Amino acid sequence: MALLTPQDLEGLTKQLECNNNTIKKATGMDIADICKQIYGTTLDGEKVGIVPITSGNGIITNFSSSLLTITEYFGLDGAVTEHPDVTGYYEAVSSDADIILMADDHIFIAHNMKNGKIATNHVCTGVVYAEIASRYKYADSKDILVIGLGRVGYAGAQHLVKRDFDVYAYDPDRETMEKARKELGIIPYDPEEEHKFSMVLEATPNPNTISEGMVAERCLVSTPGIPCGLPEDIGERNEIDLVMEPLMIGVASMLYAVM
Ligand SMILES: NC(=O)C1=CN([C@@H]2O[C@H](COP(=O)(O)OP(=O)(O)OC[C@H]3O[C@@H](n4cnc5c(N)ncnc54)[C@H](O)[C@@H]3O)[C@@H](O)[C@H]2O)C=CC1
Ligand SMILES: N[C@@H](CCCCNC(=O)[C@H]1CCC=N1)C(=O)O
Ligand SMILES: [Mg+2]
């Protein structure tokens, strides 16, 4: 499980504004519209309790404050609890929070105390980044490439198959590829084939996972993967729209998912 670093979270609001502009240009919708489309829900100033968790690698200095920024960006009433862990959870529930946000090193959840709905960051991130890629206005077909079929990528591929896209995928882990081919019906991407895509979802923890042969002249690369999988030179040469940021889009998806 690749963990965020405080550096990843610097200038978060700026990163979100920049990505929202790219998303609007590339899809005609902003992040809130896209989340509303995915879940059929809206946000209405809900109270959000953010509970720091000290387990495992411990508290990431600006993680909770980043969540507070995100909840406020989407018009919700967020608050970070004074204490972490069980004491913090008790504080949030006693303060009548509608939604609890908290993460250990493995799972990051949004839990709606009023309707019981619960959502994880990795599934919500996969789904929202997949949805963004799939709404590219200049797509040349329903072909979409998914690079990385881990917890995030697999959820994204599943969402795209459900939405009737022709989902090609690549992951070096053979078992994962076999599972995705059998369970999702994805088409294994063959690098030998000269098949260039106008929509790419990348969800790997490695750089340079996107090669020249994968991207069409005009392409939307939607990637939650950290670090960026798109090599600098390809990004400059082709007309590529890049949607990439470390946390906010996935959290927006979690909030809409539990309404
Ligand atoms: N931006 C955001 O909001 C979020 C970002 N992340 C990031 O997304 C990335 C993926 O997270 P998870 O799915 O939880 O990780 P994971 O470890 O479950 O899955 C990663 C997958 O990528 C595959 N992979 C590695 N190198 C590859 C390559 N060259 N080509 C194709 N596939 C390759 C691995 O075989 C593995 O199946 C991580 O960097 C994580 O930090 C995760 C959650 C939210
Ligand atoms: N326990 C810590 C938070 C740990 C979050 C680890 N999870 C990640 O880094 C995932 C979430 C999005 C991308 N990676 C705290 O409360 O400060
Ligand atoms: Mg995100």
Side-chain angles (χ1 to χ4, degrees), residues 33-253:
D33 299 332
I34 288 189
C35 289
K36 287 174 191 161
Q37 282 281 328
I38 297 172
Y39 303 106
T41 58
T42 54
L43 299 178
D44 184 17
E46 280 73 18
K47 192 173 166 61
V48 182
I50 297 160
V51 186
I53 301 294
T54 62
S55 67
N57 275 279
I59 285 175
I60 298 173
T61 45
N62 49 0
F63 182 76
S64 294
S65 58
S66 298
L67 296 186
L68 184 59
T69 302
I70 297 165
T71 54
E72 289 170 351
Y73 185 92
F74 290 97
L76 303 186
D77 171 16
V80 179
T81 57
E82 195 192 328
H83 300 281
D85 305 326
V86 177
T87 309
Y89 178 78
Y90 179 75
E91 186 187 324
V93 175
S94 312
S95 74
D96 199 27
D98 297 301
I99 297 171
I100 303 282
L101 289 179
M102 55 186 175
D104 64 16
D105 292 348
H106 309 283
I107 298 280
F108 169 16
I109 58 165
H111 182 206
N112 186 322
M113 309 301 282
K114 307 297 182 207
N115 64 17
K117 286 186 184 178
I118 189 161
T120 61
N121 175 268
H122 56 271
V123 170
C124 292
T125 298
V127 166
V128 70
Y129 273 88
E131 184 73 12
I132 289 167
S134 75
R135 289 183 172 276
Y136 190 36
K137 278 196 302 200
Y138 311 108
D140 57 14
S141 73
K142 298 272 283 184
D143 291 356
I144 189 161
L145 176 61
V146 179
I147 301 173
L149 288 170
R151 304 185 323 154
V152 173
Y154 197 89
Q158 191 164 37
H159 178 71
L160 293 167
V161 167
K162 261 191 279 181
R163 292 208 39 241
D164 273 339
F165 281 82
D166 297 324
V167 185
Y168 292 73
Y170 172 67
D171 191 305
D173 183 294
R174 296 179 55 72
E175 259 167 62
T176 304
M177 276 305 286
E178 206 30 46
K179 178 170 176 270
R181 202 185 51 72
K182 263 209 309 274
E183 288 179 12
L184 301 183
I186 56 101
I187 307 155
Y189 168 74
D190 171 3
E192 301 312 310
E193 251 180 69
E194 264 302 289
H195 188 162
K196 292 177 179 272
F197 294 83
S198 60
M199 300 178 282
V200 177
L201 166 67
E202 195 272 6
T204 83
N206 292 319
N208 306 319
T209 54
I210 297 172
S211 62
E212 187 79 62
M214 292 174 178
V215 290
E217 201 51 35
R218 281 203 84 162
C219 176
L220 172 54
V221 173
S222 176
T223 174
I226 302 173
C228 183
L230 182 70
E232 279 282 308
D233 58 321
I234 299 182
E236 276 142 25
R237 214 181 6 265
N238 298 34
E239 191 168 349
I240 292 179
D241 286 314
L242 176 65
V243 175
M244 175 187 70
E245 54 68 55
L247 186 64
M248 291 178 108
I249 296 172
V251 172
S253 180

Side-chain angles (χ1 to χ4, degrees), residues 3-12 15 59-63 66 246:
L3 302 183
L4 283 164
T5 66
Q7 291 71 27
D8 288 332
L9 299 176
E10 272 156 22
L12 214 52
Q15 289 193 62
I59 285 175
I60 298 173
T61 45
N62 49 0
F63 182 76
S66 298

